[in-house]
Amino acid sequence: MKIFTTRENLHNYLDERRLNNKTIGLVPTMGALHNGHLSLLDFAKSQTDEVVCSIFVNPTQFTDPTDLEKYPRPIESDIKKLESAGCDVLFNPPVSEMYTANETWHLNIGHLEHLLEGAIRPGHYQGVTQIVSKLFNLIEPDIAFFGQKDYQQVLVIDKMVQLLNMKVKVVMCPIVREDGGLAMSSRNVYLNAADREHALVLSKALNLAKEQFAHHTFTELTNLATDFINTEPGVKLDYFEIADGDSLYPATPLSKKIVALVAARVGNTRLIDNVILS
Ligand code: PAF
């Protein structure tokens, strides 16, 4: 696996690959890689010739400085995982390579960045679109792969690509879960044994909503899932929403795609999860 830390070296390398008619796949990550990330790599390998994984803990998408400071950065073990997974290129730049000292610009992609996660973490998606647009401009991938666990993020990035007429195709890959159903996340390392038990209520509530989908109204389903989560100790619910899968506004009977999204604090760790209901 080739490892680049500068934009220039990565760019020169990828230009050469493109001249050889290779298609480029991008898996953007913030590291602390788990099987969810590795499944994105597998998708990328099956659909493109040259797979680039970026590891960059993006400071502008963190709304809490302590969260940024303590974010896991196990780069040596990440490199081993990428090598065993057959990744072609790792791009692991320092912050100074991606940002000048004081960047205040942001993209305005409309309502999607302000709902749900955007409401709880104002500015988060502006940071995400800032870094992802920089990565897309630099790497010019044919296809970029993102996990469904961050469902809203995928919609936000899709919208950005659409608004800026970018050529990249955005692919959303299924959530990978641990044995009990907990969605894989780099933040799961923060959970102690009791938190892990409590956290299972989130995927169980989503399954409950899926099972009961045909038998209840959206409000009934939301109440059912919310009550179920609220009985679990150690879990503080931020939201459980049944939303239109394209706009993320509350679902209506006219919604073509419907998704249930949940976010909660389990112990000191904030977790999100979702399931596509129809
Ligand atoms: O999903 C993530 O890990 C990050 O939000 C991303 C897309 C790599 C941007 O920093």
mmCIF file of all heavy atoms in Angstrom, residues 27-31 37 54 56-58 61 71 124 127-129 131-132 135 146-147 150 153 157 186, ligand 1:
data_model
loop_
_atom_site.group_PDB
_atom_site.id
_atom_site.type_symbol
_atom_site.label_atom_id
_atom_site.label_comp_id
_atom_site.label_asym_id
_atom_site.label_seq_id
_atom_site.Cartn_x
_atom_site.Cartn_y
_atom_site.Cartn_z
ATOM 1 N N VAL A 27 -12.628 5.978 -0.146
ATOM 2 C CA VAL A 27 -13.301 5.701 1.130
ATOM 3 C C VAL A 27 -12.777 6.719 2.138
ATOM 4 O O VAL A 27 -11.684 6.552 2.690
ATOM 5 C CB VAL A 27 -13.004 4.255 1.613
ATOM 6 C CG1 VAL A 27 -13.663 3.993 2.964
ATOM 7 C CG2 VAL A 27 -13.478 3.232 0.581
ATOM 8 N N PRO A 28 -13.529 7.812 2.371
ATOM 9 C CA PRO A 28 -13.057 8.813 3.324
ATOM 10 C C PRO A 28 -13.365 8.374 4.751
ATOM 11 O O PRO A 28 -14.490 7.944 5.032
ATOM 12 C CB PRO A 28 -13.880 10.069 2.988
ATOM 13 C CG PRO A 28 -14.712 9.717 1.794
ATOM 14 C CD PRO A 28 -14.769 8.233 1.721
ATOM 15 N N THR A 29 -12.378 8.455 5.638
ATOM 16 C CA THR A 29 -12.607 8.052 7.034
ATOM 17 C C THR A 29 -11.862 9.012 7.965
ATOM 18 O O THR A 29 -11.029 9.803 7.533
ATOM 19 C CB THR A 29 -12.082 6.624 7.336
ATOM 20 O OG1 THR A 29 -10.655 6.689 7.560
ATOM 21 C CG2 THR A 29 -12.376 5.633 6.240
ATOM 22 N N MET A 30 -12.173 8.854 9.250
ATOM 23 C CA MET A 30 -11.396 9.573 10.266
ATOM 24 C C MET A 30 -10.566 8.563 11.067
ATOM 25 O O MET A 30 -10.132 8.848 12.183
ATOM 26 C CB MET A 30 -12.327 10.368 11.188
ATOM 27 C CG MET A 30 -13.117 11.432 10.410
ATOM 28 S SD MET A 30 -13.609 12.840 11.398
ATOM 29 C CE MET A 30 -14.637 12.052 12.604
ATOM 30 N N GLY A 31 -10.353 7.376 10.486
ATOM 31 C CA GLY A 31 -9.520 6.370 11.142
ATOM 32 C C GLY A 31 -10.253 5.647 12.257
ATOM 33 O O GLY A 31 -11.477 5.644 12.300
ATOM 34 N N HIS A 37 -15.807 0.117 8.175
ATOM 35 C CA HIS A 37 -14.928 0.766 7.197
ATOM 36 C C HIS A 37 -14.385 -0.266 6.204
ATOM 37 O O HIS A 37 -14.290 0.002 5.005
ATOM 38 C CB HIS A 37 -13.719 1.403 7.901
ATOM 39 C CG HIS A 37 -14.064 2.540 8.811
ATOM 40 N ND1 HIS A 37 -13.847 2.505 10.167
ATOM 41 C CD2 HIS A 37 -14.595 3.753 8.547
ATOM 42 C CE1 HIS A 37 -14.216 3.655 10.696
ATOM 43 N NE2 HIS A 37 -14.682 4.426 9.749
ATOM 44 N N SER A 54 -8.841 7.635 2.848
ATOM 45 C CA SER A 54 -8.245 8.776 3.546
ATOM 46 C C SER A 54 -8.513 8.621 5.036
ATOM 47 O O SER A 54 -9.599 8.184 5.445
ATOM 48 C CB SER A 54 -8.813 10.100 3.024
ATOM 49 O OG SER A 54 -10.193 10.152 3.243
ATOM 50 N N PHE A 56 -8.307 11.126 8.145
ATOM 51 C CA PHE A 56 -8.079 12.523 8.532
ATOM 52 C C PHE A 56 -9.132 12.891 9.568
ATOM 53 O O PHE A 56 -10.329 12.883 9.267
ATOM 54 C CB PHE A 56 -8.187 13.431 7.302
ATOM 55 C CG PHE A 56 -7.963 14.885 7.620
ATOM 56 C CD1 PHE A 56 -6.703 15.348 7.994
ATOM 57 C CD2 PHE A 56 -9.012 15.800 7.561
ATOM 58 C CE1 PHE A 56 -6.492 16.697 8.296
ATOM 59 C CE2 PHE A 56 -8.811 17.146 7.856
ATOM 60 C CZ PHE A 56 -7.548 17.588 8.226
ATOM 61 N N VAL A 57 -8.687 13.142 10.781
ATOM 62 C CA VAL A 57 -9.628 13.563 11.827
ATOM 63 C C VAL A 57 -9.883 15.048 11.581
ATOM 64 O O VAL A 57 -9.045 15.892 11.880
ATOM 65 C CB VAL A 57 -9.066 13.283 13.239
ATOM 66 C CG1 VAL A 57 -10.080 13.703 14.301
ATOM 67 C CG2 VAL A 57 -8.721 11.802 13.387
ATOM 68 N N ASN A 58 -11.039 15.314 10.993
ATOM 69 C CA ASN A 58 -11.331 16.657 10.461
ATOM 70 C C ASN A 58 -11.769 17.614 11.573
ATOM 71 O O ASN A 58 -12.901 17.513 12.060
ATOM 72 C CB ASN A 58 -12.433 16.526 9.403
ATOM 73 C CG ASN A 58 -12.892 17.873 8.906
ATOM 74 O OD1 ASN A 58 -12.085 18.800 8.796
ATOM 75 N ND2 ASN A 58 -14.178 17.990 8.620
ATOM 76 N N GLN A 61 -15.405 19.580 11.721
ATOM 77 C CA GLN A 61 -16.729 18.978 11.901
ATOM 78 C C GLN A 61 -17.031 18.644 13.360
ATOM 79 O O GLN A 61 -18.104 18.130 13.662
ATOM 80 C CB GLN A 61 -16.898 17.753 11.001
ATOM 81 C CG GLN A 61 -16.111 16.519 11.417
ATOM 82 C CD GLN A 61 -16.204 15.432 10.363
ATOM 83 O OE1 GLN A 61 -15.639 15.530 9.278
ATOM 84 N NE2 GLN A 61 -16.947 14.367 10.657
ATOM 85 N N TYR A 71 -10.568 12.029 20.287
ATOM 86 C CA TYR A 71 -10.955 11.114 19.215
ATOM 87 C C TYR A 71 -9.827 10.109 18.972
ATOM 88 O O TYR A 71 -8.658 10.491 18.862
ATOM 89 C CB TYR A 71 -11.265 11.894 17.929
ATOM 90 C CG TYR A 71 -12.094 11.070 16.974
ATOM 91 C CD1 TYR A 71 -13.468 11.000 17.117
ATOM 92 C CD2 TYR A 71 -11.490 10.324 15.972
ATOM 93 C CE1 TYR A 71 -14.230 10.200 16.279
ATOM 94 C CE2 TYR A 71 -12.242 9.528 15.123
ATOM 95 C CZ TYR A 71 -13.617 9.477 15.276
ATOM 96 O OH TYR A 71 -14.361 8.673 14.446
ATOM 97 N N HIS A 124 -21.786 21.088 12.150
ATOM 98 C CA HIS A 124 -21.136 19.791 11.904
ATOM 99 C C HIS A 124 -21.067 19.483 10.398
ATOM 100 O O HIS A 124 -20.002 19.159 9.866
ATOM 101 C CB HIS A 124 -21.901 18.690 12.642
ATOM 102 C CG HIS A 124 -21.511 17.300 12.250
ATOM 103 N ND1 HIS A 124 -20.261 16.780 12.527
ATOM 104 C CD2 HIS A 124 -22.179 16.328 11.570
ATOM 105 C CE1 HIS A 124 -20.196 15.542 12.044
ATOM 106 N NE2 HIS A 124 -21.330 15.252 11.462
ATOM 107 N N GLY A 127 -18.636 21.461 8.351
ATOM 108 C CA GLY A 127 -17.283 20.902 8.440
ATOM 109 C C GLY A 127 -17.132 19.683 7.549
ATOM 110 O O GLY A 127 -16.103 19.490 6.897
ATOM 111 N N VAL A 128 -18.176 18.850 7.520
ATOM 112 C CA VAL A 128 -18.121 17.641 6.694
ATOM 113 C C VAL A 128 -18.033 18.019 5.212
ATOM 114 O O VAL A 128 -17.187 17.502 4.472
ATOM 115 C CB VAL A 128 -19.355 16.721 6.951
ATOM 116 C CG1 VAL A 128 -19.432 15.602 5.917
ATOM 117 C CG2 VAL A 128 -19.317 16.142 8.358
ATOM 118 N N THR A 129 -18.881 18.960 4.765
ATOM 119 C CA THR A 129 -18.851 19.311 3.330
ATOM 120 C C THR A 129 -17.551 20.034 2.981
ATOM 121 O O THR A 129 -17.034 19.889 1.870
ATOM 122 C CB THR A 129 -20.079 20.154 2.913
ATOM 123 O OG1 THR A 129 -20.236 21.226 3.833
ATOM 124 C CG2 THR A 129 -21.336 19.325 2.876
ATOM 125 N N ILE A 131 -14.520 19.404 4.240
ATOM 126 C CA ILE A 131 -13.422 18.443 4.025
ATOM 127 C C ILE A 131 -13.728 17.497 2.861
ATOM 128 O O ILE A 131 -12.835 17.173 2.074
ATOM 129 C CB ILE A 131 -13.074 17.645 5.314
ATOM 130 C CG1 ILE A 131 -11.755 16.891 5.135
ATOM 131 C CG2 ILE A 131 -14.164 16.670 5.714
ATOM 132 C CD1 ILE A 131 -10.566 17.742 4.872
ATOM 133 N N VAL A 132 -14.983 17.071 2.738
ATOM 134 C CA VAL A 132 -15.279 16.117 1.664
ATOM 135 C C VAL A 132 -15.136 16.805 0.301
ATOM 136 O O VAL A 132 -14.633 16.204 -0.653
ATOM 137 C CB VAL A 132 -16.665 15.447 1.860
ATOM 138 C CG1 VAL A 132 -17.020 14.556 0.677
ATOM 139 C CG2 VAL A 132 -16.673 14.617 3.146
ATOM 140 N N LEU A 135 -11.495 16.816 -0.426
ATOM 141 C CA LEU A 135 -11.019 15.479 -0.821
ATOM 142 C C LEU A 135 -11.479 15.138 -2.245
ATOM 143 O O LEU A 135 -10.709 14.586 -3.040
ATOM 144 C CB LEU A 135 -11.534 14.422 0.166
ATOM 145 C CG LEU A 135 -10.906 14.465 1.571
ATOM 146 C CD1 LEU A 135 -11.669 13.545 2.530
ATOM 147 C CD2 LEU A 135 -9.434 14.065 1.537
ATOM 148 N N PHE A 146 -19.670 5.635 1.266
ATOM 149 C CA PHE A 146 -19.980 6.087 2.625
ATOM 150 C C PHE A 146 -20.916 5.070 3.278
ATOM 151 O O PHE A 146 -21.688 4.391 2.595
ATOM 152 C CB PHE A 146 -20.679 7.453 2.600
ATOM 153 C CG PHE A 146 -19.803 8.554 2.066
ATOM 154 C CD1 PHE A 146 -19.744 8.821 0.705
ATOM 155 C CD2 PHE A 146 -19.022 9.309 2.928
ATOM 156 C CE1 PHE A 146 -18.925 9.833 0.209
ATOM 157 C CE2 PHE A 146 -18.203 10.325 2.445
ATOM 158 C CZ PHE A 146 -18.157 10.583 1.083
ATOM 159 N N GLY A 147 -20.871 5.016 4.613
ATOM 160 C CA GLY A 147 -21.703 4.054 5.338
ATOM 161 C C GLY A 147 -23.096 4.606 5.613
ATOM 162 O O GLY A 147 -23.261 5.789 5.924
ATOM 163 N N ASP A 150 -24.274 6.737 8.868
ATOM 164 C CA ASP A 150 -24.376 8.199 8.848
ATOM 165 C C ASP A 150 -25.299 8.595 7.694
ATOM 166 O O ASP A 150 -24.878 9.243 6.727
ATOM 167 C CB ASP A 150 -22.980 8.812 8.684
ATOM 168 C CG ASP A 150 -22.107 8.483 9.876
ATOM 169 O OD1 ASP A 150 -22.415 8.933 10.977
ATOM 170 O OD2 ASP A 150 -21.126 7.727 9.702
ATOM 171 N N GLN A 153 -25.512 12.171 6.675
ATOM 172 C CA GLN A 153 -24.257 12.616 6.044
ATOM 173 C C GLN A 153 -24.254 12.258 4.549
ATOM 174 O O GLN A 153 -23.824 13.044 3.712
ATOM 175 C CB GLN A 153 -23.078 11.960 6.754
ATOM 176 C CG GLN A 153 -21.751 12.139 6.049
ATOM 177 C CD GLN A 153 -20.568 11.707 6.897
ATOM 178 O OE1 GLN A 153 -20.083 12.474 7.696
ATOM 179 N NE2 GLN A 153 -20.091 10.481 6.714
ATOM 180 N N ILE A 157 -23.914 14.906 1.505
ATOM 181 C CA ILE A 157 -22.835 14.837 0.507
ATOM 182 C C ILE A 157 -23.415 14.698 -0.907
ATOM 183 O O ILE A 157 -22.953 15.330 -1.856
ATOM 184 C CB ILE A 157 -21.850 13.699 0.857
ATOM 185 C CG1 ILE A 157 -21.096 14.096 2.123
ATOM 186 C CG2 ILE A 157 -20.884 13.422 -0.288
ATOM 187 C CD1 ILE A 157 -20.326 13.001 2.784
ATOM 188 N N SER A 186 -16.580 4.066 15.269
ATOM 189 C CA SER A 186 -15.286 4.282 15.930
ATOM 190 C C SER A 186 -15.490 4.687 17.383
ATOM 191 O O SER A 186 -14.614 4.507 18.217
ATOM 192 C CB SER A 186 -14.508 5.373 15.210
ATOM 193 O OG SER A 186 -14.355 5.027 13.870
HETATM 194 O O1 PAF B 1 -17.899 9.752 8.301
HETATM 195 C C1 PAF B 1 -16.760 10.194 8.601
HETATM 196 O O2 PAF B 1 -15.890 9.463 9.085
HETATM 197 C C2 PAF B 1 -16.453 11.658 8.335
HETATM 198 O O3 PAF B 1 -17.557 12.455 8.587
HETATM 199 C C3 PAF B 1 -15.876 11.917 6.947
HETATM 200 C C4 PAF B 1 -16.885 11.598 5.850
HETATM 201 C C5 PAF B 1 -14.623 11.085 6.729
HETATM 202 C C6 PAF B 1 -15.504 13.390 6.788
HETATM 203 O O4 PAF B 1 -14.547 13.770 7.728
#
